Amino acid sequence: MGEWTAEAEIAVGVCTRWAKSVKKQLPNMEILLFGSAIYKNGDQFDSQRSDLDLVAVFEPGIPLARRLSDLQTLQKHKAALETQIIPQLQRINCVEPGVSIVALTPFEVRANVHKSGARRFFDKNFFLNLLTGEERIALSDDAGTVTIPDENRYALEYVQKVRNDFLATAANGTGGIRDYAGADPMPKALLRFAAQVRTNPDNGEWYDTRLGMELLFSSLLDRRLESDEFRRLFDKVSVRRGGRGQLMPLSAADQLHLAEVLFDIASEVEVEEVILWELGVATKRDLPQADKLALRRAVAQLLPNASFIRPDESLQFRMRGPVSTFEVARRLEQQGALPEYLDVKEVRLFRDEELIFSREETPATLVDLMPKVLEAWKPDSALAGREIEISLSRYLESEDVLERLRYPQIEPGGPIFGTDFRPDFRLVRHSEDGIVETCIIEVKHFRTSLAGVMVSLQELLLSSDPAFLVVVGPQSKLDRVRNETQNLKRLGTNVEIIFIEI
C-alpha cells in the first residue's frame, strides 16, 4: 500500500478492515477505493468533509436475484461502515452519508458506464484494491475496451444511480430511497429511460413514458414466475396501473428491483470495440498556431465519437474511439476525400498495430526516439536521490545522445498547468520545416514504496505534452510497477514508463 497522509492512512485502514468483513459474506465481490483518500497519497483528503468513495464489482454473469441479494447484504455492511468512520475519523456529521458506493457489473466496467456520465471513469482513474492492496490505473484490464449506444448507456447510468441511492444511508439511519406513491405506476425517470431502450421506436416515441411502462410491465409479466419477489412486484405494479387489489407504494427494495429489470433489458445490446489510432497530416504550408487549432476542430467535427489523446504540434493526432468511427475515417481517406475536407496536402491514417510499418516511411519524431535513448541509460547502482537525476541529466547532454535526438534543447521542467508539480526535464526540438516538438521527463528511484511513482504518474497524466516517467530500481520492484500500470499503453495516455534496472 502507499504512503498516505495521517488522515488518509486511517481512512484506508478502516475501509480495508471493512472490506475484509464484507468478503466473508460476499466472497466473489471486488471492493476498491478511489478518490481523495488515495489520490496523491491522500493529500486532498479531509477526514471531516471528504467522502470515502468505493466501488463494489459483482461477479461476472450474476443474475438479477443475486444482484438484489448482494445489494441488500452490502447495504447492511455499508450502514456499519458509516458508524465506524465517525469515531475513527472523528467526524461530527452523522446525518449525511460519509461513504459512497458505486455497485456495478463487469459489463459496466468494460463499457465505462458511470452514474455521473463520465466516459473514461473506470479506465482513466486510480484505484486501490482493498482486499489485495494493489494500486492500479483502470479498475480492470478490460475497463473501457468497448462502447455501447447512448440510449443503453443512459439507462445503465440510471440503474447505477438507483443502486447508489439504495446504499446511501447515513450513520443515523436516514437517507436511502423513499417509498414511491406517485400518480404514475412507477417512477417517471425509470419509465423515461425504459422508453429510450425500446427497439426501433417511431419518431417522437423516444421519451414516451407510457411505452416505457409497457416495456417494463411486459418484462414483469414474463418473469413473474421466476421468484416470489417477482410475483409480488408484478402484483403490486399491476394494481398501481389500474388492476384490482390494494394500492400500495413501491418500497426502496421494489424500486431497486425495477431498476435491475431495466438493467437486464438495457445490457442486452451489441458492443463495439474501442481502439487507438493515429491521424497524420501533411500541410501545404507551415501553419500558425491558430490554424493548427482550427484543423484540430475540423478533425473533431468530422469524427465526433472519437477523442484526442493529446495535442500534438507535429500534427500526428493520437486518437481513441469506436472501430466504426475509425472505419469512417479510413473510407474517406481511401476515397481521397480527407485532404480536401481538412484543406491539407496529405492525410495518413493508421491503427496502432499498423504504426510500426508507417514509422519506417516517415522521419522519427522526438517522442519516437526517446524510449530507446532512455532505455540505453545505465546509471551506477550506488546512486540515490538527487544523484540519479544528475546522472540522467549528464547522459541526456552527452554529444552522442544529443546527436541521436537531433540536438534538442534540454531545459528544467516547468510546472504542469494547474499544479505545482515540475518534471525534471523538458526537451524542445525545432525541425527544419519549422515544427516544434516537446516532451517532458520525470525520473523516480523506486526503493521501498510505490507511492512516489504513482503520485508522479498522476501528475504527468495532467500534462498536455508527451511525457516519460523513468523508474529506476531493482527488478523485483520494477515488476510491481509493470503489473500495476500495464493498462497505460492500451489506454492511450500521454505518458510512457521506461524501466531502468539497477
Side-chain angles (χ1 to χ4, degrees):
M1 289 170 51
E3 295 176 349
W4 321 109
T5 63
E7 289 184 334
E9 180 77 40
I10 295 171
V12 171
V14 172
C15 290
T16 300
R17 292 188 293 273
W18 175 82
K20 290 178 179 178
S21 70
V22 174
K23 188 73 172 176
K24 294 176 182 177
Q25 285 192 275
L26 301 173
N28 296 317
M29 179 174 280
E30 279 194 277
I31 301 175
L32 303 99
L33 180 65
F34 68 99
S36 61
I38 66 167
Y39 182 63
K40 297 184 181 179
N41 293 358
D43 185 56
Q44 299 176 13
F45 181 75
D46 185 303
S47 62
Q48 288 296 318
R49 295 180 295 176
S50 299
D51 284 345
L52 293 173
D53 297 307
L54 297 168
V55 173
V57 185
F58 298 110
E59 63 183 286
I62 185 171
L64 184 149
R66 279 281 311 285
R67 294 199 302 273
L68 292 176
S69 174
D70 284 5
L71 283 166
Q72 289 167 345
T73 300
L74 187 62
Q75 184 190 47
K76 296 174 183 176
H77 282 280
K78 195 265 188 182
L81 180 58
E82 290 284 358
T83 60
Q84 291 167 16
I85 65 173
I86 289 178
Q88 293 285 341
L89 296 177
Q90 299 182 352
R91 296 176 81 108
I92 59 175
N93 185 347
C94 67
V95 299
E96 295 178 355
V99 180
S100 175
I101 300 182
V102 176
L104 73 167
T105 63
F107 175 78
E108 293 159 85
V109 178
R110 287 177 62 216
N112 243 338
V113 176
H114 185 261
K115 63 184 179 67
S116 69
R119 297 296 180 97
R120 299 293 304 272
F121 196 90
F122 295 113
D123 76 328
K124 201 173 181 183
N125 211 335
F126 287 81
F127 298 90
L128 169 67
N129 189 313
L130 292 169
L131 299 168
T132 66
E134 177 190 22
E135 299 172 70
R136 58 175 298 144
I137 304 171
L139 193 138
S140 72
D141 290 346
D142 58 359
T145 54
V146 300
T147 188
I148 58 177
D150 283 348
E151 292 78 10
N152 298 73
R153 179 180 297 276
Y154 300 150
L156 297 180
E157 290 169 357
Y158 170 78
V159 174
Q160 253 185 53
K161 180 66 166 57
V162 172
R163 293 175 189 151
N164 182 258
D165 290 344
F166 180 77
L167 299 170
T169 52
N172 67 349
T174 60
I177 298 176
R178 295 181 179 180
D179 287 355
Y180 173 77
D184 291 307
M186 293 174 270
K188 185 168 288 187
L190 172 72
L191 303 179
R192 187 179 300 114
F193 286 112
Q196 292 180 55
V197 296
R198 292 176 63 252
T199 56
N200 302 318
D202 291 334
N203 287 339
E205 292 183 346
W206 303 291
Y207 306 105
D208 190 328
T209 56
R210 181 178 58 84
L211 296 175
M213 178 178 64
E214 295 302 332
L215 177 65
L216 288 169
F217 189 72
S218 175
S219 183
L220 289 177
L221 177 63
D222 293 341
R223 304 181 68 174
R224 69 190 187 283
L225 301 180
E226 283 187 18
S227 65
D228 290 342
E229 290 77 16
F230 252 115
R231 181 183 53 78
R232 283 193 290 268
L233 182 60
F234 167 78
D235 290 343
K236 185 178 286 189
V237 173
S238 179
V239 173
R240 291 189 58 79
R241 70 195 299 264
R244 291 177 178 269
Q246 182 181 0
L247 184 65
M248 299 178 63
L250 297 175
S251 67
D254 293 333
Q255 293 173 66
L256 178 66
H257 196 157
L258 287 169
E260 295 301 335
V261 171
L262 176 61
F263 174 88
D264 282 357
I265 297 170
S267 59
E268 285 294 322
V269 62
E270 290 188 12
V271 301
E272 186 176 2
E273 183 186 5
V274 173
I275 62 170
L276 304 176
W277 71 84
E278 185 169 297
L279 191 154
V281 175
T283 57
K284 302 171 185 176
R285 56 186 174 82
D286 184 31
L287 296 180
Q289 186 64 25
D291 287 350
K292 290 179 181 179
L293 292 174
L295 178 58
R296 181 183 171 91
R297 285 193 296 270
V299 173
Q301 290 169 354
L302 179 66
L303 306 172
N305 293 323
S307 59
F308 293 95
I309 291 171
R310 63 171 183 255
D312 197 325
E313 292 293 336
S314 66
L315 300 181
Q316 301 293 323
F317 297 117
R318 293 281 289 148
M319 307 192 75
R320 181 181 186 277
V323 172
S324 59
T325 300
F326 172 79
E327 293 300 335
V328 167
R330 170 150 283 179
R331 284 195 295 272
L332 291 172
E333 177 203 27
Q334 292 170 345
Q335 294 167 5
L338 269 182
E340 182 178 355
Y341 175 83
L342 297 174
D343 191 24
V344 295
K345 180 180 179 181
E346 183 183 9
V347 176
R348 304 187 69 193
L349 193 67
F350 301 97
R351 284 184 62 155
D352 249 31
E353 59 267 28
E354 300 168 337
L355 285 175
I356 186 172
F357 303 107
S358 70
R359 292 303 192 201
E360 296 175 0
E361 304 172 19
T362 57
T365 66
L366 181 62
V367 174
D368 294 333
L369 296 170
M370 285 308 303
K372 288 187 177 180
V373 168
L374 291 170
E375 288 166 357
W377 174 46
K378 302 297 181 185
D380 192 307
S381 59
L383 299 179
R386 174 67 175 163
E387 295 172 325
I388 293 278
E389 182 182 330
I390 293 172
S391 172
L392 179 56
S393 175
R394 290 173 177 169
Y395 169 74
L396 292 174
E397 292 171 348
S398 62
E399 183 60 30
D400 60 330
V401 169
L402 290 174
E403 183 178 2
R404 286 179 66 186
L405 295 177
R406 303 191 196 126
Y407 297 97
Q409 297 173 332
I410 301 176
E411 309 167 349
I416 291 176
F417 180 77
T419 76
D420 295 326
F421 180 75
R422 291 176 175 267
D424 294 323
F425 308 103
R426 182 173 185 264
L427 275 61
V428 182
R429 189 175 77 176
H430 299 265
S431 65
E432 293 180 359
D433 55 5
I435 293 175
V436 180
E437 299 176 84
T438 63
C439 71
I440 56 178
I441 301 172
E442 172 73 4
V443 59
K444 295 297 294 185
H445 189 189
F446 182 16
R447 289 167 292 181
T448 57
S449 171
L450 184 62
V453 175
M454 296 299 273
V455 168
S456 293
L457 181 55
Q458 289 168 347
E459 299 282 11
L460 291 173
L461 286 170
L462 299 175
S463 170
S464 60
D465 287 320
F468 294 91
L469 176 58
V470 183
V471 183
V472 180
Q475 188 62 51
S476 60
K477 299 291 186 183
L478 299 183
D479 286 343
R480 184 180 174 193
V481 181
R482 286 191 183 95
N483 289 338
E484 302 197 11
T485 60
Q486 59 185 332
N487 283 312
L488 205 59
K489 182 169 181 149
R490 178 182 64 74
L491 300 178
T493 66
N494 63 312
V495 183
E496 182 172 348
I497 301 181
I498 306 297
F499 300 95
I500 305 294
E501 181 182 358
I502 59 173

